[in-house]
Amino acid sequence: MSPAQWDLPPELCCRPMAFVALTGLDVVYNAVHRAIWDAFCANRRADRVPISFKVLPGDHEYPKCRTKRTSYEWYIPKGILKTGWMNKHLNLVPALVVLFYELDWDEPQWKEKQSECATKVEIVRTSLQGRNTKVAVVLIQKKTPLPPGEDVMASERAAALCNACDLSGKSLFVLPHTDHLVGYIIRLENAFYEHAQTYYYTEIRRVKSHKEFLNKTTHQLLFVRHQFKTAFFSELKQDTQNALKYYRAAYSLIHELRTHETNILEIKTMAGFINYKICRLCFQHNTPLDAIAQFRKHIDLCKKKIGSAELAFEHAAWMSKQFQYFGDLFDEAIKLGLTAIQTQNPGFYYQQAAHYAQERKRLAFQLCGGPEANLGYPAPDPLETPTGILDFYGQRAWRQGHQSIDPPDPEKEKGGILALQGREKEVPHSELIIALLSNAVAQFKKYKCPRMKSRLMVQMGEEYYHTKDYAKALKLLDYVMCDYRTERWWGLLTSILGTALRCSYLMAQVKDYVSYSMELVGRASMLREDQKSRIQKNVAKVLKNEPPEAEPDCDPSAVKAAQALWNERGSQASGEDLILEVQDSVPFVQCKARFLHPSFHLDVPVQLHVFLLTDSPHPVRFSKLCVSLSNQDYNQYCVVDSLGQAPAQEDMCLVPGRTHRYSFRFVARPEDVGKKIEITGVDLMLGSENGRCIFLNWRGGGGDAASSHEALQATRSFKRRGRLPENEVDWDTVSIQASTMIISRVPRISVQLHHEPPALNNEMYCMMVTIQSHEDIVARDLKLTAGLKPGQDANLSHTTHVTLDGSKMCDDSHRALLPDIPMGDLQPQEKMEKPLSIRCSTTGPRIFLVHVAYTVDTCIEGRDIVCKCHKDETVTIETVVPFEVAVKFVSTKFEHLEHVFVDVPFLLMTDILSMSPWPLHLVTSELQLAPTMAAVDQPASQVEEVVLQTGESASECFCLTCPPVHHGTTGVASGQYVMSWKRKSANATIPVVNTVITLPHVAVETIPLYVHADLPSFGRVRESLPVKYHIQNRTAIVQEVEMSVEPSDAFMFSGLKQVRLRILPGTEQDMLYNFYPLMAGYQMLPLLNINLLRLPAVSGQLLRRFLPSRIFIKVTFNGPANSGIETAAKLACWLHLHLFLEQMLFPM
Amino acid sequence: MMTMLGGEPFLLVSKQEQQNYPLYIRSVPSDSELKFHYTVHTSLDVVEEKVSAVGKVIVDQRELYLGLLYPTEDYKVYGYVTNSKVKFVIVVDSSNTSLRDNEIRSMFRKLHNSFTDVMCNPFYNPGDPIQSKVFDSMVSSMMVQTC
């Protein structure tokens, strides 16, 4: 028996295909035959019929068919299935033998050839005596055959040939050797396939026919055998559905067999075969759940069928193989398109196979003894058989064919078992286990099971450890360790670390040994205190360059080798430095480093604390502690060692559970101002120069794989810890602060800003910067940076201008920020002032920055350094509009105008409303008229030197006319209104701000007739009041005008009461009336009606708007009432004013 | 039989910070205790997958019981996850046929209730290993019942 005895035979695992033998082909020397053979067997794609072809010589001897049994009455079967049976039907007994023969229909020597062919057929037939194998003849012809029925000779000769060879017409084929060889071949093989199917069908019938002769008592094995054969033939026939049915039947029959120790192996072997076939077919039929169910059933049925206790490892081996083969089938099905899931994938089966392989190993060790145990192999090998192979599957070589309950010869049985045990010892169990585990790992990786993968890798590592391949073991264990560490499964981590420690001990790997030891001693380890103590003592030995004690449970021979290695290491490597990165593990010393503050001023020493805590059972002595900083110049100040400042000895010894603090301080360099100083690492040296030095290195400010979670839990916890002694620190309260900022010295100057916010739009806003020194020494190189703070809206920098020269208006050439204005030195307590002028041309808030920088020379801890200091002041200034200007057009009667008339005077009124919180000084104003406007008289500013308080307003009024415009123009520009102003509080040097207001456009209309009146400002009762009306024709044609004056109660009048007159183009007609007021007071003038006969659209109503409608009539004073005259004059004046106001307030 | 709680303490809700360290782990004393620990640890693969699947398709949110996690030859592993993503895993012997889905469900419910009591203890810091006599005795009684 070979070590591969548990492997399934290849003929079971292959896909059975109909076997067709081809004879009469000389594939070596005959090119035509070679081509035919190639066409049969080369490039068989899936769409070709499943036939396995074989070329055999014409006189090949097929396996002899045994004489058919006529009765089973006295027949006792010796086993279930013969080992050669499957191979016989796959490769030896063909379903069809095809004889190839070169013969054309027009062959001249037809008779001779025909008989030769018949002879060859006869030879084949004789060889197949007793079998149902079909024979067919293929004639290889050089000529292309004619369509059937046309070649008379062909059909005649074909019939003759069939007759001579005793063939049916269906078994004779013609193969013309022409261009379309492959096409002919495919047609041929389809025909062969049909013949083969018929053959297998008859075989199935033949096997089934035995059934009636069988009885249940003696022929139980035959029931299984026949079902298996039927199923196998069905498979050959490619009838997989029926094959599955027969295999299932066979499977249930096999479990009906009586099992006892002597046949249990045979039953299991055959059950395994049949189960394999069933699962395979289920996967093939795409019913994976059936396959899984069958397999589970199989395992459940067979799990307990262990058989001989002395050969228990055989059962484990068999179980392992069952799982492995199912895994293979599953995996193969997946490759063909089946989808597996996380909880049902081949990995589980490989894992279980590995599990049984481990079990096998354990049992083998237990039953066969260790490698040194010698059982003595029996002298004539009981496992040898005369033929070298067994007759039946699953039987014992020393008692083949034996089917009764008890072994025939107990002595032989004993020898056989001994031989099997001896063989088992040769089996490389670990290799098998590792192969299976790695298969499983690959599967679990695919199906998202990282933890399962890790677990299997641990098992692989342990298996490698058992095979003494420590390097591989360590590699695997090291790889998965961090997964368990990040998941915080300390129990599992401890177990892995234990194995890893043994590996590193046995290889004498100092670095790994120390690193694993430190973690096993540390707080993440679940080891007992005494074990921790032992490991820590071993570490101490390593540090002294002595070999450590062996780990328990190590192989004694390996320990011996390891001790030699350790001694060798010890002699070579004195003073060797080992650097261990402990950040990613959980070592027995914890470290936290922190700067005392997140930032330090340059003139203050930087302070740094390193906290160390050990959780080992014994105190830990270290010989050096150093901190590396991002600027390495400072490293020299951050060292604790026995040479330097010679700290007390107890400081160098870490007591378990107590937090130790080490303080460092140093003065930062001025060039580091504004930079970050980071702790890049902390190194703790264990051991000594004359022994072995081991550096524990923490990157950054310390901490390890477990510390962040611990810190989090500590912050959550509200447990009150006991009060600690004065100089001790609670570890959990320490947080890591791995970086600090060096910032400049605190400035000791004051910067004050004097100004009057808000700023007014466009003014030169004054801000006085007052700098006063509170330094004890001279502040040198004072520099002022002032202006708009950078980083605000980009538009602000375009609309803000800053200057030191307040006497001139800023323009766009001035910048928004004035950098580094040199200010010279400042003596202690000296004060300095600097005026700034700012012009903001848009409204809204702005942040201004005043930055004063200077240098001072100071001395810190005996070191002279030049400190740069600076002081920043920022201020937000709002810019507001100083005043608003409203402009309106009114008629001379102060009536609101929608549009003005050409050459008719009107008024332009401006209202200036102060919005400024500060008094505004209006210096002057100016009206800049557009060419389309003309002033009636010389316009002069009426608001010159006016001061407006908040909310006050000032008005101006200008009388303007509009010269004629081009026909069709509707609106004309009016011009600009310029205000010149400044703050009332601004001194004389501050420039005046000119604010330009663009006047609105105004609509212009022409009028055909213009009327205006000349009349005194008042009249007196019973005194003549002359009134002259001017009527102007502004058209280019003669206008006929009808005029009438309506009578009035208040006036008598003389003049033309009703008249019709003509006015020439461009001329003016004057009408003079003498009104004679009858009543005093405010009187309506007699109404003047004007009608333009040619232009009825121009109504009197419109024209009347140009005329005054009322007049004030005074009382006449008769006689000596001089004193009264004055009063009356005053009254008149008052009334006049009243009139004026009335007209303004109530325009008609 | 063994029972265990692994999971993130309820204060951590963020998925990124999902943690899977054991809060409580207990098994019938045996040689293969380590093997049980591995079994529970590997079962978290399936728990995580199931929990993330729940997040994708909003199935009945109140269903905390995850059912049989995966089959092994010797043990059956059941899972349960609370709304705060604390996971419970129960491993029972495959041969123990008296425990069906309903019994397991009720065991989980009992565990959950008891765990809630632990969490309600103001002196318990969520995320710390559970050290509660009441919880211990509840688990013990449950283990006695099933063995």
Side-chain angles (χ1 to χ4, degrees), chain A residues 873-1046:
Chain A
E873 280 293 329
T874 55
V875 63
T876 305
I877 297 173
E878 187 86 26
T879 303
V880 298
V881 177
F883 52 80
E884 269 180 7
V885 177
V887 177
K888 60 186 178 188
F889 295 96
V890 292
S891 70
T892 45
K893 286 163 78 179
F894 292 97
E895 289 164 341
H896 177 72
L897 284 180
E898 289 293 331
H899 40 73
V900 298
F901 296 103
V902 171
D903 277 341
V904 178
F906 62 90
L907 298 177
L908 171 76
M909 292 190 67
T910 59
D911 285 324
I912 304 147
L913 173 68
S914 167
M915 315 277 279
S916 151
W918 308 99
L920 272 187
H921 177 199
L922 304 183
V923 179
T924 183
S925 69
E926 189 192 351
L927 192 66
Q928 294 172 343
L929 288 174
T932 48
M933 286 282 167
V936 172
D937 47 5
Q938 203 62 40
S941 177
Q942 295 145 15
V943 292
E944 216 160 282
E945 301 300 330
V946 168
V947 173
L948 287 182
Q949 301 293 332
T950 311
E952 285 184 343
S953 70
S955 292
E956 283 194 275
C957 185
F958 302 99
C959 189
L960 307 175
T961 59
C962 195
V965 291
H966 290 293
H967 190 70
T969 315
T970 50
V972 294
S974 318
Q976 289 178 326
Y977 182 58
V978 181
M979 285 293 307
S980 298
W981 58 275
K982 59 204 272 187
R983 266 176 204 249
K984 179 78 170 60
S985 58
N987 56 32
T989 57
I990 302 291
V992 168
V993 188
N994 289 322
T995 302
V996 177
I997 295 116
T998 304
L999 298 172
H1001 279 55
V1002 67
V1004 180
E1005 275 187 16
T1006 50
I1007 193 160
L1009 199 74
Y1010 177 56
V1011 185
H1012 60 105
D1014 276 348
L1015 78 170
S1017 51
F1018 63 90
R1020 279 183 203 278
V1021 177
R1022 283 190 288 277
E1023 273 185 22
S1024 170
L1025 178 75
V1027 174
K1028 191 191 252 176
Y1029 291 106
H1030 306 274
I1031 304 158
Q1032 211 175 12
N1033 178 7
R1034 289 194 168 170
T1035 60
I1037 48 169
V1038 178
Q1039 291 292 350
E1040 201 158 332
V1041 181
E1042 205 177 60
M1043 257 183 76
S1044 63
V1045 181
E1046 284 183 13

Side-chain angles (χ1 to χ4, degrees), chain A residues 296 342-343 348 352 448-452 455 458 484 487-489 492 495-496 709 713 716-718, chain B residues 4 11-12 19-22 34 37-38 41-42 44-46 48-49 69-70 73 122 125-128:
Chain A
R296 290 238 62 83
Q342 192 194 36
T343 50
F348 287 102
Q352 206 58 35
K448 285 195 261 176
C449 300
R451 294 178 187 83
M452 186 64 102
R455 179 195 179 175
V458 170
Y484 289 97
E487 295 242 279
R488 307 174 48 74
W489 277 71
L492 303 182
S495 140
I496 298 166
H709 182 262
Q713 285 299 108
R716 280 210 198 116
S717 172
F718 36 89
Chain B
M4 165 268 174
L11 285 180
L12 293 179
Q19 296 192 21
N20 284 309
Y21 62 90
L34 192 67
H37 286 218
Y38 273 119
H41 184 242
T42 49
L44 291 173
D45 283 336
V46 187
E48 276 201 344
E49 193 70 13
L69 295 179
Y70 68 85
E73 277 308 294
N125 186 18
D128 278 350

Side-chain angles (χ1 to χ4, degrees), chain A residues 488-524:
Chain A
R488 307 174 48 74
W489 277 71
W490 303 134
L492 303 182
L493 179 68
T494 307
S495 140
I496 298 166
L497 280 169
T499 314
L501 183 68
R502 283 199 289 276
C503 288
S504 56
Y505 169 74
L506 293 173
M507 287 196 294
Q509 296 270 30
V510 182
K511 191 173 167 179
D512 290 336
Y513 183 79
V514 174
S515 141
Y516 297 137
S517 295
M518 285 199 309
E519 202 159 1
L520 277 172
V521 172
R523 63 201 191 284

